[in-house]
Amino acid sequence: MVQALVTRPQEDAEPVACALASRGIAVMIEPLLGIEPVPGVTVDPTGLQGLLVTSANGARALARLLPDRTLPVWAVGDASARVARDLGFGAVQSAGGDVETLATLVAARVDPAGGALLHAAGETVAGDLSGLLAGSGFTVRRETLYRAVTATALSADLGQALRAGTIDLALFFSPRTAATFATLATDAGLGETLSRVVAYGLSGNVTAKLAELPWAALRKAAEPTLAALLAAIDENGHPS
């Protein structure tokens, strides 16, 4: 059976694993980032007209800190929007893409005079959402609600699987995760084992961090969504 490596944090990896399993692909989950709340942080909704979510972790952090979930949520993509809805936020819209498409969606549908927007952010931020929206007259409060803790080594199970040649695909969803894998695989002397693995990145920013490794092939999704990444896998077939 074809086996895929999924490098997302555990909670985010599970929907990916289900989608792959429906395609007859076995999954090994290797979380290269662990998500932790920033201690002592609170969210004051006073004066806010809405919430900006650029990851599922942002939605989870808001749900933990905001008992009242009536404020509208504008989410970067379908996955983060789905998590926000599942956690009880009633008015959720998805930009279906990246920070730029989120800024475009908000600028088209929200009146800057209606109040500030709160961006539920992590310690490491991709793109400049606040800057993009400031150019359209918005006030954005960026609150750092969570942080990602990077793995310091690949697991023994993953090392064994790579050496045995039982990993056929590897999926990467963020530049930080991809860079972490590249560093840890190189440090562990696993580079040559990747020549049997086809790597898929969510975007060009992700695949750029993987380009120095000797993959069998390195491919990226047509757009930065899980659906597009899965479509790329479907289009290219499954290694035998």
Side-chain angles (χ1 to χ4, degrees), residues 140-158:
V140 178
R141 283 169 38 196
R142 190 173 82 191
E143 298 283 355
T144 301
L145 305 182
Y146 64 93
R147 58 191 174 203
V149 180
T150 306
T152 56
L154 300 182
S155 69
D157 286 346
L158 177 56

Side-chain angles (χ1 to χ4, degrees), residues 149-236:
V149 180
T150 306
T152 56
L154 300 182
S155 69
D157 286 346
L158 177 56
Q160 182 178 0
L162 287 169
R163 291 188 179 94
T166 59
I167 300 294
D168 304 289
L169 311 175
L171 281 60
F172 298 91
F173 292 83
S174 74
R176 186 171 177 183
T177 300
T180 298
F181 179 86
T183 297
L184 297 182
T186 300
D187 290 350
L190 294 168
E192 64 182 24
T193 69
L194 303 176
S195 62
R196 298 183 291 269
V197 181
V198 179
Y200 288 86
L202 195 67
S203 69
N205 289 335
V206 176
T207 55
K209 301 296 184 182
L210 301 167
E212 298 300 316
L213 297 173
W215 305 102
L218 177 59
R219 298 170 178 144
K220 73 178 181 68
E223 56 185 29
T225 65
L226 174 58
L229 190 65
L230 293 170
I233 294 171
D234 293 339
E235 289 165 8
N236 287 285

